[in-house]
Each structure stands twice: as C-alpha cells, then as structure tokens.
Amino acid sequence: MNQLLIDGFTQSGVVILELAIGFSLFWLGQFIYQKLFRRRIELNLELFVKDNPAVAIALVGYYFGIVIALGGVLGQNSGSLPNKALYLANYGIMVIFFMLAGAWVGDKLILRHFNCEREIIQDRNIGAATVEAGNHIANGLILNAALAGESGGWLVALVSWLIGLLVLVLVSFAYPNFAKYNVFAEIEKRNNPAAGVGLAGLLIAAGNIVRVAFSAEFVTWNISFLRYALVLFFCLGLLIIIRFIADLILVPGVKISDEIVNQEIPNVGAGLIEAFAYIAASFLIAWCF
C-alpha cells in the first residue's frame, strides 16, 4: 500500500513537471515565433485589442504542433526527475527550432503564392491562417516520429524530417490539380476560408501519414528508407482516392469543390467535411498499420 502511494506521488510529480515544462515551452515558443518568424506581429495587440481571429488560428496551430511533437518523448523514462526535466527542456527547445524551420518552409514553399504574414495581419484572412495552422500541426506530427526514435541517431532524424517537409510541399503542389480549382487564388483574392480549411486538412493528414511511415524503428538506411517510401506512396495514394470517395459517400449528389468555390458565400461546412475526410482517413490508415 505504501509503495502504491509512493508510486502515485512520484507519477503525479512527473505529470506536474511535464506540464510545467510544457507551458514554459509554449511561452518560449510564442516569444521566438513573434521575434524571429512573424516579426510584424504584436500578439497582445492583434489578439486582445484588434481581436484578429486569423492570428489566433495560426498561433494555436503552432502551439498544437509543439504539443504533438513533444508527445514523442512525454512519458519516456529518463531517470530521475532532474534528468527528466533537463531532457524534456532540451528536447523542447530543439522542437521549437524545427517547428520554426518548418514554418519558414511552409511560408516560402507551401504558401508561396502570396505574402501569408500580410494576409493574416492586415487582411485577417482566415483561409491563409488555417493553412498555416495546418502546416504547423503537420510539422508537429512529422517531428513526433522523426525525433522520438531510439535508433538511428540525429542524422536519421534530420533526413526523416526533411523528407516529411518535402512531402508537405509536394502535396501542396498536387492539391490544386485534383481539387480542380485554384486553391491559392481562392484563399488570397476571395479570402475563402473553406479553401483554406480543405488544404489544411490535407496537410495534417499528410503529416500524420509521414508519422506512421517513420514510426518503425530504424534498422539500416536501405531497409528502413525503402520501407518508409513504400508506406508513404501507398498511403498518400489512398488519400487522393479518399478525395473522390468523399464526394460519393459523405455528400452524395453534391460536389465539394462546387460548394467551396462556386458559391457567392463559400461553404465552410464543405471545407470542413473535406478536411475531415482526409484526417479521418489518415487515422484509419495509421490504425491499420
């Protein structure tokens, strides 16, 4: 009985420690986000004076990405509480660095057709903010697998993360072709939130697929990366098929693209259904592996 109490208090202490470090990392993350990535944003002004929802969406996506990335090591046994605290803090700082690098890649390559910072701050563009949030969450999912493995070392983790970012960029290039409309023009020129939600859902699903592909422990470069590639191609192909199945099953008799683009007021509900189809499919695929 005494041992149960001791174990309970020890576990409670670990949980409190992880929460304290986690929220400290959120503060550090938003400080660096504001100073290095979105240097024109004054968060308190945008969030609580101007009540800018686009800034809130992008920032929450960034926070969520950090949480998911940290999930790769939370609960792991790292020895004593001081050692665990030091390990988690070091890991968290590294996660923030990779999150910001992934955000920069998303800004320059995924949202390459317009100035995302201007769209979020000046135009309060919900669609652009949602895509940025989706990129942050997808990056967190990739980091969850790339950095949490116990084999392979830092080079494997770095290569896996870079491959994951490349997948997100390629998905953003391919998406307008099977969505059958100019996604980025809809987001920029029409401030179309439904288009942004659909693309964000696909990015999150792709990030989740990358997480699944890289979740297996590293063996050798040839064996592991061949397996990673096969899983990626197969699962990403399924996501493309899901886009067309969603029209037939989830909204029979209606074209999701028409609801997103060819309406006087874009149908955000249609964008949410499309995003749900991608994300739900990615989790179903993950649970099958």
Side-chain angles (χ1 to χ4, degrees):
M1 184 64 178
N2 289 337
Q3 186 60 44
L4 287 175
L5 288 174
I6 292 172
D7 291 343
F9 281 121
T10 301
Q11 186 61 35
S12 298
V14 170
V15 171
I16 293 171
L17 174 68
E18 290 179 342
L19 286 173
I21 293 175
F23 277 94
S24 298
L25 290 170
F26 293 156
W27 179 86
L28 178 63
Q30 65 83 20
F31 179 79
I32 296 176
Y33 176 90
Q34 186 176 193
K35 297 300 181 182
L36 296 182
F37 180 58
R38 293 287 184 230
R39 287 177 289 181
R40 293 173 55 198
I41 287 183
E42 295 181 34
L43 288 179
N44 285 346
L45 175 65
E46 293 294 334
L47 293 175
F48 306 117
V49 177
K50 295 184 178 180
D51 298 338
N52 187 336
V55 171
I57 290 170
L59 184 63
V60 168
Y62 174 69
Y63 284 157
F64 200 14
I66 293 175
V67 170
I68 295 171
L70 289 175
V73 295
L74 289 177
Q76 289 185 5
N77 185 14
S78 302
S80 64
L81 283 180
N83 287 339
K84 190 174 186 67
L86 183 61
Y87 174 73
L88 185 57
N90 289 335
Y91 182 87
I93 291 170
M94 183 176 57
V95 161
I96 290 171
F97 168 79
F98 281 110
M99 285 292 298
L100 288 173
W104 183 86
V105 170
D107 219 36
K108 300 302 180 182
L109 298 179
I110 294 176
L111 289 163
R112 59 197 175 276
H113 296 284
F114 50 80
N115 186 325
C116 190
E117 186 173 63
R118 183 191 64 223
E119 292 295 320
I120 291 173
I121 298 174
Q122 296 180 11
D123 296 344
R124 303 161 70 98
N125 189 325
I126 300 295
T130 305
V131 177
E132 181 177 313
N135 180 62
H136 291 319
I137 294 170
N139 192 20
L141 287 163
I142 294 167
L143 289 170
N144 180 280
L147 298 181
E150 297 181 357
S151 59
W154 286 108
L155 182 58
V156 172
L158 179 62
V159 171
S160 299
W161 174 70
L162 290 173
I163 291 173
L165 291 186
L166 178 62
V167 168
L168 297 184
V169 173
L170 292 177
V171 163
S172 75
F173 273 92
Y175 179 67
N177 294 320
F178 62 83
K180 303 300 184 184
Y181 63 89
N182 192 329
V183 178
F184 299 102
E186 285 292 317
I187 293 172
E188 180 187 16
K189 296 176 182 178
R190 291 188 67 197
N191 284 14
N192 188 334
V197 169
L199 176 54
L202 180 59
L203 290 175
I204 293 170
N208 197 30
I209 292 299
V210 173
R211 179 186 65 83
V212 173
F214 290 158
S215 60
E217 287 295 332
F218 178 80
V219 181
T220 66
W221 286 94
N222 290 337
I223 294 174
S224 293
F225 278 90
L226 177 60
R227 180 171 57 195
Y228 298 158
L230 291 174
V231 173
L232 276 175
F233 282 117
F234 176 72
C235 294
L236 290 173
L238 288 179
L239 282 185
I240 296 174
I241 295 172
I242 289 296
R243 174 63 176 77
F244 300 100
I245 293 177
D247 275 340
L248 298 175
I249 297 178
L250 297 182
V251 284
V254 176
K255 291 291 185 182
I256 291 178
S257 296
D258 288 342
E259 292 295 312
I260 292 174
V261 179
N262 299 323
Q263 303 287 323
E264 184 177 351
I265 299 176
N267 189 337
V268 178
L272 285 170
I273 290 174
E274 180 179 3
F276 163 78
Y278 294 135
I279 296 171
S282 75
F283 277 100
L284 291 173
I285 293 168
W287 293 328
C288 290
F289 274 87

